[in-house]
Amino acid sequence: MPDDVSGQVLEQTGVVDNETLMDQVIEAIKTVYDPEIPVNIWELGLVYRVNVDSEKNVEVDMTLTAPSCPVAGEMPMQVQQVIENLDAVKSCRVELVWEPSWHPGMMSEEARVALDMF
């Protein structure tokens, strides 16, 4: 029996649609934490853009809380690795960007509560 309107049997064939893959990518990103802040980088608002193309290539634009962040070289690689560990992902490219500059107002409500910043 088809799982979606295209008639593909998604679960049996291992095919993952882009919406499902986007959800998986976001969940993977949420496993990455700034080592100095007990909140994941998604909730901190450090991820500006996630794109999954039709061939399951993922592109991510992200920033850091400050340009002098001690994990500047490591965190983008961590994000790339957790995304590439997803079975359906063909490739991943993570770009570290500085515009717009990150500020605490970019954090989710969940992050603000966790950091007592409400």
Side-chain angles (χ1 to χ4, degrees), residues 40-84:
N40 70 68
I41 65 169
W42 181 263
E43 300 300 337
L44 282 174
L46 297 179
V47 178
Y48 290 167
R49 182 182 72 91
V50 177
N51 183 61
V52 178
D53 71 17
S54 61
E55 296 189 15
K56 311 300 187 224
N57 298 301
V58 179
E59 293 181 350
V60 176
D61 289 346
M62 65 171 289
T63 194
L64 301 171
T65 55
S68 60
C69 181
V71 294
E74 299 167 26
M75 196 172 299
M77 291 177 65
Q78 264 188 293
V79 171
Q80 181 178 348
Q81 288 174 342
V82 298
I83 293 171
E84 286 181 341

Side-chain angles (χ1 to χ4, degrees), residues 4-116:
D4 71 356
V5 292
S6 71
Q8 291 179 324
V9 180
L10 300 177
E11 196 169 318
Q12 292 175 351
T13 64
V15 174
V16 175
D17 63 61
N18 277 17
E19 185 177 332
T20 301
L21 184 54
M22 179 66 85
D23 292 343
Q24 292 175 355
V25 166
I26 292 169
E27 288 305 310
I29 290 170
K30 287 180 177 181
T31 67
V32 179
Y33 285 74
D34 182 313
E36 297 175 349
I37 305 171
V39 176
N40 70 68
I41 65 169
W42 181 263
E43 300 300 337
L44 282 174
L46 297 179
V47 178
Y48 290 167
R49 182 182 72 91
V50 177
N51 183 61
V52 178
D53 71 17
S54 61
E55 296 189 15
K56 311 300 187 224
N57 298 301
V58 179
E59 293 181 350
V60 176
D61 289 346
M62 65 171 289
T63 194
L64 301 171
T65 55
S68 60
C69 181
V71 294
E74 299 167 26
M75 196 172 299
M77 291 177 65
Q78 264 188 293
V79 171
Q80 181 178 348
Q81 288 174 342
V82 298
I83 293 171
E84 286 181 341
N85 283 340
L86 298 171
D87 291 336
V89 170
K90 182 177 179 184
S91 70
C92 178
R93 183 184 63 78
V94 177
E95 184 79 24
L96 192 57
V97 298
W98 301 107
E99 294 295 326
S101 297
W102 180 87
H103 57 83
M106 295 175 155
M107 293 188 296
S108 71
E109 187 68 28
E110 182 179 319
R112 287 188 188 111
V113 169
L115 297 172
D116 290 327

